[in-house]
């Protein structure tokens, strides 16, 4: 059954407690997720978004318990990605002529997904839809995080249906932000921003300022994943403005992989040198082959500087480091310093390659890196500690 948010608005989505991976295998969802869909009842009735395709039949069946489907006047698709539009084909079998409101890019993508020429109505920023006592006002938000993305504002109820913005992959039956563990919630919100929205930070900043300039009262932010921001909803907007502004904490993260623990020993010694130089810095070590890649990216996002380390294998990097560096490059981090380190046996190319990757990824590389032959001895460990000290001073 749906869950009533206001006299006019109900949540009719799906909570997915079993979801462990998202975007294929690209995003870990340790705490599940939800696919939030909303039903508005006014003089005209509106469905905003649907759910992921595996739950399409369940979604339509449950929606029938909420409303006679023939009484749905309009469908709003804020975003055409399959976790939001996946139940659309099943629903449109019941309502083939119901108009679907979305952006022009949304029409292209929905047709590309489902190869159907439904009754599309394209909208742009400032367009509105009169429901009777309330109106829906559309705000395009391209590349937050797809070209078709938009938000929908409901007058009277003062609700912003924000789609992916301000969301989290976080399963809860409680719905609201003040009814869940706050530490868990903000950890998932930060992870979501770091791994999905980071490359679009300039657009995030611009779009939020544009929406704020409209001076619309916002009593609730209804996201497409995770909780609804009801208690002080502006807090997540403030966090987004902070995260979008070249975010960093007083943290250094060492990301490495190792074959026979030589590079690990280097990482630990470098970390000790950083701590000796500035004990106020939070130092974290993460083995890229063992840690969750999205958790690593989240810590990189939080850091003001990183060090990457790898043994040399076949004149190159260890597999896990190549993957995580490619992720970092795509996320286009800004305002972060970096350097490299690693052990080797005979050819020793890894440090040079790591340094090159860091530069191409937008990091400010502070030195040429440190490499040690075979297993670091006492002198080698001392050089790593000193390397850590010098790196800390460079910050």
């Amino acid at each position: 059954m749906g869950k009533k948010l206001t006299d006019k608005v109900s949540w009719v989505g799906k909570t997915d407690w079993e979801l462990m991976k998202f975007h294929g295998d690209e995003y870990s969802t340790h705490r599940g997720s939800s696919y939030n869909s909303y039903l508005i009842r006014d003089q005209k009735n509106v469905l905003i978004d649907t759910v992921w395709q595996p739950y399409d039949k369940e979604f339509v069946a449950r929606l029938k318990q909420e409303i006679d489907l023939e009484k749905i006047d309009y469908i709003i698709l804020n975003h055409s990605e399959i976790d939001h539009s996946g139940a659309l084909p099943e629903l449109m079998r019941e309502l083939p002529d119901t108009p679907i409101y979305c952006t022009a890019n949304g029409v292209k993508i929905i047709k590309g997904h489902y190869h159907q020429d439904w009754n599309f109505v394209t909208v742009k920023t400032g367009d509105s839809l009169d429901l009777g006592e309330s109106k829906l006002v559309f705000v395009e938000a391209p590349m937050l995080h797809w070209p078709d993305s938009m938000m929908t504002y409901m007058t009277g109820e003062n609700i912003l249906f924000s789609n992916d913005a301000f969301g989290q992959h976080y399963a809860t039956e409680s719905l609201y932000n003040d009814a869940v563990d706050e530490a868990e919630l903000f950890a998932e919100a930060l992870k979501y921003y770091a791994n999905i929205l980071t490359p679009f930070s300039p657009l995030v900043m611009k779009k939020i300022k544009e929406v704020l300039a409209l001076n619309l009262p916002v009593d609730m932010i209804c996201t497409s994943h995770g909780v609804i921001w009801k208690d002080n909803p502006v807090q997540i907007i403030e966090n987004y403005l902070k995260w979008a502004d070249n975010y960093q904490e007083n943290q250094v993260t060492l990301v490495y992989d190792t074959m026979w623990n030589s590079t690990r020993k280097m990482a630990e010694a470098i970390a000790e040198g950083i701590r000796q130089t500035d004990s106020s810095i939070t130092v974290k070590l993460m083995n890229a082959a063992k840690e969750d890649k999205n958790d690593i990216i989240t810590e990189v996002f939080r850091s003001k500087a990183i060090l990457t380390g790898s043994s040399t294998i076949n004149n190159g990097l260890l597999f896990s480091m190549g993957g995580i560096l490619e992720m970092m490059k795509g996320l286009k981090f800004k305002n972060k310093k970096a350097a490299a380190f690693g052990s080797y046996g005979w050819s020793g190319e890894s440090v040079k390659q790591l340094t090159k990757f860091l530069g191409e990824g937008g990091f400010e590389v502070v030195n040429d890196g440190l490499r040690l032959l075979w297993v670091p001895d006492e002198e080698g460990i001392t050089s790593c500690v000193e390397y850590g000290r010098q790196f800390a001073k460079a910050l």
Side-chain angles (χ1 to χ4, degrees):
M1 296 294 290
K3 297 179 180 179
K4 193 172 183 179
L5 308 183
T6 71
D7 288 341
K8 288 187 172 70
V9 183
S10 297
W11 178 90
V12 290
K14 171 67 179 178
T15 303
D16 191 347
W17 290 94
E18 295 185 353
L19 187 73
M20 293 290 106
K21 296 286 185 180
F22 194 73
H23 286 161
D25 269 350
E26 282 301 295
Y27 191 103
S28 59
T29 50
H30 305 313
R31 296 186 175 99
S33 192
S34 64
Y35 319 109
N36 298 338
S37 175
Y38 303 96
L39 180 64
I40 299 173
R41 295 178 176 91
D42 200 326
Q43 293 173 25
K44 297 289 186 179
N45 300 314
V46 179
L47 180 71
I48 298 183
D49 294 326
T50 69
V51 301
W52 190 27
Q53 187 275 329
Y55 302 105
D56 58 353
K57 289 181 172 59
E58 175 186 338
F59 172 76
V60 173
R62 289 167 63 115
L63 192 59
K64 287 178 179 178
Q65 297 173 12
E66 289 292 316
I67 189 172
D68 178 352
L69 296 186
E70 295 294 333
K71 293 182 178 179
I72 296 176
D73 297 289
Y74 312 116
I75 297 168
I76 309 297
L77 272 186
N78 280 331
H79 180 27
S80 56
E81 196 170 1
I82 291 174
D83 51 318
H84 308 292
S85 68
L88 196 58
E90 185 71 16
L91 181 62
M92 296 310 287
R93 278 191 272 274
E94 305 269 357
L95 302 170
D97 300 319
T98 302
I100 300 170
Y101 286 70
C102 59
T103 64
N105 279 323
V107 174
K108 295 175 186 176
I109 297 171
I110 295 166
K111 286 183 176 181
H113 281 157
Y114 307 115
H115 312 292
Q116 298 291 325
D117 192 16
W118 290 311
N119 181 14
F120 294 106
V121 179
T122 59
V123 296
K124 59 186 184 300
T125 296
D127 289 348
S128 62
L129 181 61
D130 196 335
L131 306 184
E133 294 180 1
S134 55
K135 282 186 179 180
L136 297 181
V137 181
F138 304 109
V139 180
E140 293 174 279
M143 299 317 302
L144 301 183
H145 62 123
W146 273 26
D148 67 302
S149 299
M150 73 174 185
M151 303 178 189
T152 301
Y153 178 79
M154 184 179 180
T155 65
E157 302 297 300
N158 301 339
I159 296 175
L160 179 65
F161 297 95
S162 64
N163 195 254
D164 280 333
F166 313 125
Q168 337 81 44
H169 286 300
Y170 187 54
T172 174
E173 297 296 332
S174 303
L175 281 186
Y176 299 118
N177 64 298
D178 58 348
V180 300
D181 185 300
E182 187 176 87
E184 287 186 354
L185 170 60
F186 277 95
E188 292 301 331
L190 178 64
K191 176 181 176 179
Y192 189 94
Y193 189 96
N195 283 270
I196 295 176
L197 289 167
T198 294
F200 313 116
S201 286
L203 297 173
V204 171
M205 183 81 73
K206 180 180 178 181
K207 184 54 60 174
I208 289 178
K209 288 181 177 179
E210 179 185 319
V211 172
L212 291 176
L214 298 175
N215 291 316
L216 299 171
V218 177
D219 294 338
M220 202 181 302
I221 298 176
C222 290
T223 65
S224 286
H225 297 294
V227 303
I228 294 166
W229 298 93
K230 184 179 181 181
D231 178 51
N232 184 22
V234 74
Q235 64 182 300
I236 189 59
I237 298 174
E238 291 171 345
N239 273 286
Y240 263 53
L241 288 171
K242 181 171 64 175
W243 295 338
D245 190 19
N246 295 328
Y247 183 72
Q248 60 171 231
E249 299 175 18
N250 189 27
Q251 176 173 318
V252 174
T253 301
L254 290 85
V255 183
Y256 68 92
D257 195 0
T258 187
M259 292 178 69
W260 296 109
N261 287 324
S262 296
T263 301
R264 174 183 61 79
K265 291 175 182 177
M266 292 181 71
E268 292 171 350
I270 292 168
E272 178 60 27
I274 296 170
R275 282 190 290 264
Q276 288 179 9
T277 303
D278 187 347
S279 61
S280 71
I281 296 176
T282 298
V283 182
K284 295 189 177 183
L285 284 75
M286 306 188 82
N287 185 318
K290 297 181 179 181
E291 300 272 1
D292 179 274
K293 62 182 179 293
N294 303 111
D295 293 342
I296 293 173
I297 290 297
T298 304
E299 295 306 326
V300 171
F301 178 77
R302 296 175 65 185
S303 298
K304 65 181 181 181
I306 66 168
L307 289 126
T308 57
S310 176
S311 313
T312 296
I313 182 170
N314 298 330
N315 307 109
L317 307 175
L318 290 171
F319 175 81
S320 69
M321 289 305 299
I324 203 71
L325 285 163
E326 184 64 28
M327 289 180 70
M328 291 183 198
K329 181 179 178 181
L331 289 166
K332 299 179 175 66
F333 290 112
K334 299 289 190 296
N335 195 34
K336 298 183 188 297
K337 295 183 178 180
F341 64 95
S343 63
Y344 70 103
W346 48 93
S347 60
E349 294 90 346
S350 67
V351 172
K352 186 175 181 179
Q353 291 180 21
L354 286 168
T355 301
K356 183 173 182 287
F357 271 115
L358 290 168
E360 291 174 347
F363 292 89
E364 181 187 340
V365 179
V366 301
N367 58 49
D368 293 332
L370 174 68
R371 64 178 195 160
L372 293 180
L373 183 64
W374 299 116
V375 179
D377 57 11
E378 185 175 342
E379 182 181 345
I381 292 297
T382 299
S383 69
C384 289
V385 172
E386 180 60 25
Y387 184 70
R389 289 195 189 109
Q390 294 304 317
F391 185 79
K393 290 176 182 178
L395 305 184

